[in-house]
Amino acid sequence: MKRAILAVAASFALAGCSTTDAATTHRVTDATASTPAPEEAATVDVYAAASLTDVFTQIADEYMAEHPSIEIRLTFAGSADLAAQINEGAPADVFASANEKQMTVAGDHIDGESELFASNTLTIAVPAGNPGGVTDFASLANPNLAVVVCAPEVPCGAAAVKVEKALGVTLSPASELTNVTDVLGSVASGEADAGLVYVTDLARAKGVEGISFTGSEVANTSYPIAVMTTGDAADASRGFVDYVLGAHGQAALAAAGFARPGSVATDASAGK
Amino acid sequence: MKLDATVAVSARGVNATLSVPAGETLALLGPNGSGKSTVIEVLAGLVQPDDGRATLGNTALFAHEDGRMRLTEARRRGVALVTQDASLFPHLSVLDNVGFPARARGVTKARSRIVAHEWLERAGVGDLAERKPSSLSGGQARKVAVARALSSEPKLILLDEPFASLDVDAAVALRALLREVLVGRTAVLSTHDGLDAIDLASSVAVLDRGAVVEQGPTAATFERPRTAFTAAMAGLVWISGVWTSHALTLADGQSVYASGRGLAAGARAAVAIDPRTVKLVSGDTRSAVHDVVKTLEPRGDGTLRVRGSLLWADVSIAEAARALPHVDDPVSFAIASRPLAYAV
Amino acid sequence: MARLPRWLILLAVIAAAFAVLPLAGLASRANWAELPDQLASPASRTALELSLRTAAAATGLCVVFGVPLGFALAALRGVTRAVLRAVLLAPLVLPPVVSGLGLLYAFGRKGLLGETLDAAGLPVAFTTAAVVLAQAFVAMPFMVVSVEASLAARDGRLEAIAATLGAGRSRILAAVTLPGIGVAVGMGAVLAFARSLGEFGATLTFAGSLEGVTRTAPLQIYLARESDPQAAVALGLVLVALAILIVAAAARPGRRVVQ
């Protein structure tokens, strides 16, 4: 009975929010089948990209509700930051990165294989009311606008550079920050006229509107997740990773605006 | 410029009235703690009085009016002060220190240096011009401070214990300088040594616990002190009483034989006696004054001061050894000559 | 050292080791052969130049405005002084990111003053001026404290004498008081410069991070530490060297303090 409901819910969520996609590599697993019972108490340290802040918090809460003896501790930061910390020996059990590059950076510490669980795409964020009068990506090149982006060294910044190249537009940002949360904050406070953030970030802040632009799929980022050898709760970690990859996790991700890996994410805050 | 001042600072227990004729030097004489520095600092504008008034020529320095003190800024008083520590500006050379008042008046740096050189030469310390204050001796610094004070062309110059902690040579040199530069200037000089008054001041004001007990021309004040305190500062044995034909009748009825000229019978009078003419004698001697020993003070020069409640005398140690009096013993003083009594 | 109790020496050694270990850690990660090339990279050079320029400007501001504030504070008494002092010296203990937020809400585009400035064509946010402001904000208390302490130690006698010699207030200040507190002003400037060089949290929050405009050395290190740790370490070691030089410079005037 549970199975059926889950399947229906998942398919509604997926059908409602995403457009068609090409081959996917994600697994949809039956959540009930992969949950071992009874469980030992364990603490799972999850290091996740900043853009996953809201959705992973939600997923973790749901997971902990279903598995009361397991505690999920979440650390959010720029993916490059997290990868560097893992390489320095930070005790991460699970790593969810905003792009595959950073997962490769931490590649020495992957336990098994990493798997893609979501994808995201860039969009333009403007303060409510669009005071800068931004229309599309090209309009961001206007030198009178204060545009904030991620620095090229971090995933969201690398994606921005890709888009610039593809569309032939050169931005002169007023500030280049190290994670997308900071960019979002700058736009939300009205300090910046526009910023490049992920589609999924639009829902995370108040007072922010999104302006999608054509050509953004050039910079789709795929999010990998993996169990790490630096941690100490291998079994419980695997359980959480499976959950993220499973119907529950995917439903939450989709609701937040993430797409399945390989597809284009849409604005979750827009009407469906 | 004539100075008339009443200085009252209740926190320091000072309430002193004095006046200095224009162009003259007044010695403010008193022991340590009598309030000399306070009076001087109030006149200079460094300390705020709570009452009193002072005028220098036509300028009011301060006055108590309408329930509050009205003070003229130190800058506008025309009063220069030479302190015990000289208070030279440590970051300026001696030359620039002395040139400071001229610069403050708006004179160019070059001209102020010329003026400064003149004053330094006059003070006899022209060779110190390029030195820094920290490299000067106490005496040198004080001379420079005098030069600086004078270069401000003050209407009144105040010197706070100018000879304190100077070695003999430095004191002599400073004294010579002051004798020369104070001529024709209105000045107040504070000291605890009567000799400074005699040397440099035409009048003296004696300060006892914050109040001026006596003021007058130096010589007259020291020859005929009107208070026991002044007499002590002058180093004289002193006693007062009522004049009766040819003796001074003391409060306890004893008589001190003296000669009096122009003294009316019944008038209050006093005698000031050279201590060398006062001797201790045995009790029977006629005309001796009978007293009781209050203190015995070794003077450090081989004499012992035997002080009674009325008179005192210095005796040699040898003499004291023969018949050493003790505190509260009866003692008799004999005055060798007939002192001159005068009205007080 | 022979006269100190052994337990004291032990604690001191532990403390010294604690202080030196992070520096040694930095040095151990450095690729000394590549160091000159790392530092010659445009990003590092630009960041360092920017840091030095802005720190110098901020120190200048601290001298021009911090010295008078020190005077004003020293002239106050009682409760007013205590309260004002506590508020004005708050940046000393405030977390820099909080200072940054405050600066943002004051001078940012929608800030108290920032809105007016922006409209007048003088935007502050995202400019080098913002960096200087952030540094000056966190560094000024060092100057104020130094000046205030130095003034409190004076008894005002020289100033009073200067007045009797006919000097007005400005002349007394310039010729008597300022030379007297010169060492303190120097020390305040050195500390302000050091604090400005090391400023990070307020700068990032308020000024942003853009190469050549607002990305000072600490911000460059923050950015490079993940993608190019060698560059971060190289720049970091430069800042360590500067810090040691500054501390050495600050200690020297101590010998001439006695007046």
Side-chain angles (χ1 to χ4, degrees):
Chain A
M1 191 50 184
K2 238 191 196 173
R3 250 200 210 196
I5 293 178
L6 280 173
V8 169
S11 60
F12 268 141
L14 289 170
C17 293
S18 65
T19 56
T20 57
D21 65 330
T24 65
T25 55
H26 70 279
R27 284 188 285 134
V28 179
T29 54
D30 188 331
T32 53
S34 65
T35 313
E39 296 172 314
E40 302 170 4
T43 306
V44 180
D45 283 298
V46 176
Y47 282 30
S51 50
L52 295 165
T53 305
D54 290 2
V55 68
F56 259 46
T57 305
Q58 184 195 336
I59 292 177
D61 285 343
E62 287 171 9
Y63 188 77
M64 286 192 281
E66 284 187 29
H67 304 269
S69 58
I70 304 232
E71 189 198 344
I72 310 283
R73 287 201 295 227
L74 296 160
T75 302
F76 298 108
S79 307
D81 204 354
L82 295 172
Q85 285 177 26
I86 290 171
N87 281 339
E88 290 297 325
D93 292 301
V94 174
F95 181 31
S97 168
N99 71 9
E100 294 172 82
K101 176 174 173 222
Q102 294 306 325
M103 183 58 79
T104 313
V105 167
D108 290 344
H109 306 281
I110 297 176
D111 184 357
E113 296 278 309
S114 71
E115 302 182 62
L116 299 178
F117 67 97
S119 78
N120 212 342
T121 202
L122 286 183
T123 188
I124 303 170
V126 294
N130 193 2
V134 174
T135 49
D136 59 4
F137 196 83
S139 65
L140 292 179
N142 180 351
N144 293 329
L145 287 181
V147 177
V148 175
V149 299
C150 290
E153 289 87 337
V154 297
C156 49
V161 169
K162 255 201 222 164
V163 172
E164 280 181 75
K165 286 212 181 94
L167 299 182
V169 177
T170 313
L171 301 179
S172 355
S175 189
E176 294 172 352
L177 303 171
T178 52
N179 66 68
V180 78
T181 310
D182 287 350
V183 174
L184 193 64
S186 202
V187 173
S189 70
E191 290 306 315
D193 294 314
L196 287 178
V197 300
Y198 292 116
V199 163
T200 52
D201 292 317
L202 293 175
R204 285 171 56 200
K206 284 201 275 262
V208 167
E209 293 170 3
I211 297 178
S212 58
F213 57 93
T214 49
S216 60
E217 55 285 353
V218 169
N220 280 357
T221 55
S222 298
Y223 284 57
I225 189 170
V227 176
M228 309 305 281
T229 56
T230 42
D232 56 2
D235 289 340
S237 306
R238 185 110 296 274
F240 181 74
V241 169
D242 290 342
Y243 189 82
V244 170
L245 293 164
H248 286 272
Q250 291 297 302
L253 285 160
F258 288 89
R260 284 162 27 214
S263 58
V264 178
T266 54
D267 186 348
S269 61
K272 293 204 196 23
Chain B
M1 302 268 162
K2 183 171 197 291
L3 171 73
D4 279 305
T6 301
V7 176
V9 182
S10 51
R12 301 195 191 178
V14 169
N15 193 327
T17 303
L18 49 87
S19 69
V20 189
E24 311 235 332
T25 302
L26 170 81
L28 193 59
L29 185 66
N32 289 332
S34 52
K36 304 191 293 292
S37 289
T38 305
V39 170
I40 291 215
E41 287 175 353
V42 168
L43 291 173
L46 268 62
V47 169
Q48 179 161 336
D50 357 87
D51 207 339
R53 59 184 290 118
T55 53
L56 181 61
N58 293 328
T59 317
L61 298 182
F62 56 87
H64 192 251
E65 278 168 27
D66 308 322
R68 58 189 186 91
M69 286 307 299
R70 300 172 130 262
L71 305 155
T72 308
E73 272 187 271
R75 191 182 171 200
R76 299 190 203 287
R77 292 191 182 193
V79 176
L81 169 61
V82 178
T83 54
Q84 278 188 55
D85 61 3
S87 300
L88 296 179
F89 305 130
H91 292 89
L92 297 177
S93 65
V94 162
L95 189 68
D96 286 332
N97 260 280
V98 179
F100 184 85
R103 291 288 285 142
R105 285 195 296 271
V107 171
T108 62
K109 196 153 190 141
R111 176 110 194 95
S112 75
R113 286 200 158 145
I114 298 172
V115 171
H117 261 298
E118 285 168 11
W119 281 111
L120 282 173
E121 289 296 336
R122 228 171 127 208
V125 283
D127 55 327
L128 299 178
E130 298 307 320
R131 300 262 292 269
K132 277 279 166 71
S134 54
S135 69
L136 301 177
S137 71
Q140 290 171 325
R142 223 166 279 175
K143 276 190 169 180
V144 172
V146 170
R148 183 178 67 177
L150 292 172
S151 80
S152 71
E153 295 166 9
K155 297 188 254 176
L156 169 68
I157 182 166
L158 304 171
L159 301 116
D160 193 359
E161 305 231 32
F163 303 103
S165 36
L166 288 187
D167 62 49
V168 176
D169 291 336
V172 165
L174 184 62
R175 211 181 285 280
L177 173 62
L178 289 179
R179 232 180 273 131
E180 191 198 315
V181 297
L182 292 183
V183 173
R185 286 193 187 275
T186 314
V188 175
L189 180 155
S190 76
T191 179
H192 56 263
D193 185 353
L195 287 172
D196 294 336
I198 293 170
D199 192 12
L200 296 164
S202 56
S203 59
V204 62
V206 182
L207 203 60
D208 177 19
R209 281 167 293 186
V212 173
V213 295
E214 199 168 336
Q215 176 171 354
T218 314
T221 308
F222 283 146
E223 282 164 28
R224 297 178 175 200
R226 299 160 54 87
T227 63
F229 187 79
T230 311
M233 299 247 64
L236 299 169
V237 180
W238 189 91
I239 195 159
S240 69
V242 174
W243 180 249
T244 59
S245 60
H246 40 254
L248 200 62
T249 308
L250 308 180
D252 63 357
Q254 296 191 74
S255 295
V256 173
Y257 289 98
S259 53
R261 239 171 288 150
L263 275 177
R268 278 215 66 79
V271 289
I273 312 159
D274 185 335
R276 288 169 295 185
T277 62
V278 181
K279 304 261 179 278
L280 289 186
V281 293
S282 60
D284 301 342
T285 316
R286 253 186 39 132
S287 78
V289 174
H290 305 294
D291 202 345
V292 175
V293 177
K294 284 289 169 230
T295 64
L296 299 166
E297 298 160 20
R299 303 302 292 173
D301 55 354
T303 62
L304 178 73
R305 182 161 294 180
V306 180
R307 195 186 286 278
S309 57
L310 301 168
L311 295 171
W312 52 269
D314 289 340
V315 300
S316 69
I317 300 285
E319 216 184 308
R322 258 188 280 119
L324 184 69
H326 304 283
V327 174
D328 292 334
D329 281 354
V331 68
S332 299
F333 296 100
I335 300 160
S337 55
R338 234 171 129 94
L340 187 67
Y342 54 90
V344 293
Chain C
M1 281 294 268
R3 269 175 281 162
L4 292 174
R6 240 174 271 158
W7 55 266
L8 194 78
I9 299 179
L10 180 64
L11 288 173
V13 168
I14 293 175
F18 177 57
V20 170
L21 215 55
L23 303 181
L26 266 178
S28 72
R29 286 300 177 98
N31 186 332
W32 295 94
E34 275 182 36
L35 207 76
D37 290 328
Q38 290 282 7
L39 294 174
S41 77
S44 292
R45 274 215 329 265
T46 313
L48 207 51
E49 275 166 21
L50 185 67
S51 270
L52 291 170
R53 265 194 298 131
T54 51
T59 305
L61 284 180
C62 287
V63 172
V64 170
F65 291 101
V67 171
L69 185 56
F71 270 93
L73 210 54
L76 291 173
R77 293 277 173 268
V79 176
T80 324
R81 179 196 189 145
V83 169
L84 210 58
R85 197 168 190 276
V87 169
L88 291 171
L89 299 186
L92 273 178
V93 285
L94 214 52
V97 66
V98 175
S99 298
L101 277 181
L103 284 161
L104 199 61
Y105 299 151
F107 297 102
R109 283 164 117 211
K110 302 180 125 196
L112 290 176
L113 211 58
E115 223 169 338
T116 325
L117 286 171
D118 203 34
L122 291 169
V124 176
F126 304 127
T127 63
T128 313
V131 177
V132 175
L133 280 180
Q135 292 174 350
F137 180 76
V138 298
M140 182 128 61
F142 288 97
M143 178 63 81
V144 174
V145 164
S146 195
V147 167
E148 194 209 5
S150 181
L151 286 172
R154 295 175 71 79
D155 61 7
R157 202 162 171 74
L158 289 176
E159 283 80 358
I161 296 287
T164 65
L165 296 171
R169 271 184 275 197
S170 289
R171 182 174 295 274
I172 295 178
L173 202 79
V176 180
T177 317
L178 279 178
I181 62 165
V183 171
V185 172
M187 270 290 272
V190 168
L191 291 174
F193 186 76
R195 181 68 187 85
S196 297
L197 264 191
E199 179 28 53
F200 174 75
T203 314
L204 186 58
T205 316
F206 173 45
S209 175
L210 191 65
E211 185 172 336
V213 179
T214 53
R215 195 173 292 157
T216 54
L219 265 62
Q220 173 65 32
I221 293 172
Y222 183 60
L223 183 61
R225 81 203 187 288
E226 312 141 353
S227 53
D228 190 358
Q230 277 307 307
V233 168
L235 201 49
L237 285 172
V238 171
L239 290 183
V240 167
L242 276 174
I244 293 175
L245 277 174
I246 287 170
V247 170
R252 264 187 66 240
R255 269 178 254 140
R256 283 186 284 130
V257 164
V258 178
Q259 286 285 3

